[in-house]
Amino acid sequence: MVNIVVFTGAGISAESGIPTFRDSNGMWNKYDAKKLASVAGFEENPEAVLEFYNARRKNLLEVQPNHAHLALAELERIHNVTIITQNVDNLHERAGSSKVIHLHGELSKVTSSRNRLDPECIKEYPLDMPIRLGDKAADGSQLRPYIVWFGEYLNTMSEAIRLVEYADIFVVIGTSLVVYPAAGLVNYVRLFPSYQRLPSENPRFPVLHIVPHIPNSHDLFSCTTP
């Protein structure tokens, strides 16, 4: 069975109606990321941050997985497929994918504002239930979205790297590969055994990069490692 690792970004969920972040109509062109996606912003105005994420959580109730999510879930029938996603929505899971690694957190969960990674405080939270000021985590601190904000540690990155290193096929869908450290995952794809490089060449590996709405974006291209 082939080990396929699929790395997805905001573009795969855009067709479902979830806004992207960095394109011309992206959220960070409308909102101040430092105020809405950072610990400092939360400490300064927790009500505004919770309002922003409650709106995004509510949006998840109004959208459905699209054909790309469904196709990846169907692929599990014949291959060992793992999804590594930058997205914080749950559309891969709702489509039926059983192995999904979220690099940047999950909108469907909440955690402690004192210790984001405390396993006793991370829990599913109904999307139709707003997170309010005064709602407490198990440690008594204010509840916050289980989201990796700017400057916070990507606690699932090590697991993602391990999975990529053992992938037979690595597919990139819906991300421009400009957000680090997540974009650096491409550097961990192993060389194809059949590829023979010249001594003067840097190692290269073929990656399938799919950009929604761009014709012929499913072509293989070679990436060069540092």
Side-chain angles (χ1 to χ4, degrees):
M1 184 175 288
V2 176
N3 288 319
I4 300 175
V5 173
V6 184
F7 181 40
T8 67
I12 197 171
S13 294
E15 188 175 328
S16 293
I18 295 180
T20 59
F21 288 91
R22 289 176 173 79
D23 62 21
S24 57
N25 294 315
M27 281 193 284
W28 296 148
N29 285 323
K30 300 176 182 178
Y31 303 101
D32 188 338
K34 292 182 179 179
K35 292 184 177 181
L36 295 175
S38 70
V39 173
F42 184 69
E43 291 175 346
E44 178 183 341
N45 193 343
E47 190 169 10
V49 174
L50 292 179
E51 182 180 352
F52 174 72
Y53 283 99
N54 283 333
R56 295 184 63 196
R57 285 163 47 79
K58 182 180 178 182
N59 178 233
L60 271 186
L61 293 172
E62 302 167 353
V63 301
Q64 297 295 327
N66 61 54
H67 65 282
H69 299 105
L70 296 170
L72 291 175
E74 183 69 16
L75 195 59
E76 283 192 21
R77 287 176 172 267
I78 54 175
H79 295 298
N80 182 28
V81 181
T82 302
I83 310 293
I84 300 174
T85 186
Q86 294 173 290
N87 299 338
V88 295
D89 61 61
N90 59 2
L91 296 184
H92 283 300
E93 289 90 341
R94 285 164 57 186
S97 290
S98 62
K99 290 175 284 188
V100 183
I101 307 298
H102 287 268
L103 293 179
H104 295 154
E106 300 175 64
L107 279 174
S108 61
K109 295 180 179 181
V110 294
T111 189
S112 162
S113 57
R114 182 179 302 147
N115 181 0
R116 174 176 60 91
L117 301 180
D118 184 346
E120 297 296 321
C121 295
I122 299 170
K123 65 177 184 177
E124 294 283 343
Y125 205 73
L127 292 171
D128 60 355
M129 183 183 297
I131 309 168
R132 303 185 186 279
L133 282 180
D135 291 344
K136 302 297 184 182
D139 63 1
S141 68
Q142 170 65 45
L143 276 182
R144 56 163 277 186
Y146 183 59
I147 301 294
V148 181
W149 286 332
F150 289 105
E152 291 189 311
Y153 172 62
L154 267 65
N155 54 294
T156 56
M157 191 66 178
S158 295
E159 181 182 6
I161 289 172
R162 179 183 58 80
L163 290 165
V164 171
E165 287 178 331
Y166 287 94
D168 297 311
I169 298 174
F170 185 64
V171 183
V172 181
I173 305 177
T175 175
S176 56
L177 296 175
V178 298
V179 178
Y180 284 83
L185 284 174
V186 296
N187 294 319
Y188 293 92
V189 179
R190 61 182 176 176
L191 296 174
F192 275 41
S194 60
Y195 176 75
Q196 299 295 322
R197 63 187 178 94
L198 298 175
S200 61
E201 291 183 315
N202 287 327
R204 293 180 297 170
F205 48 85
V207 175
L208 186 63
H209 189 193
I210 302 172
V211 183
H213 311 304
I214 297 180
N216 301 319
S217 68
H218 55 281
D219 295 334
L220 284 172
F221 67 92
S222 291
C223 293
T224 303
T225 61

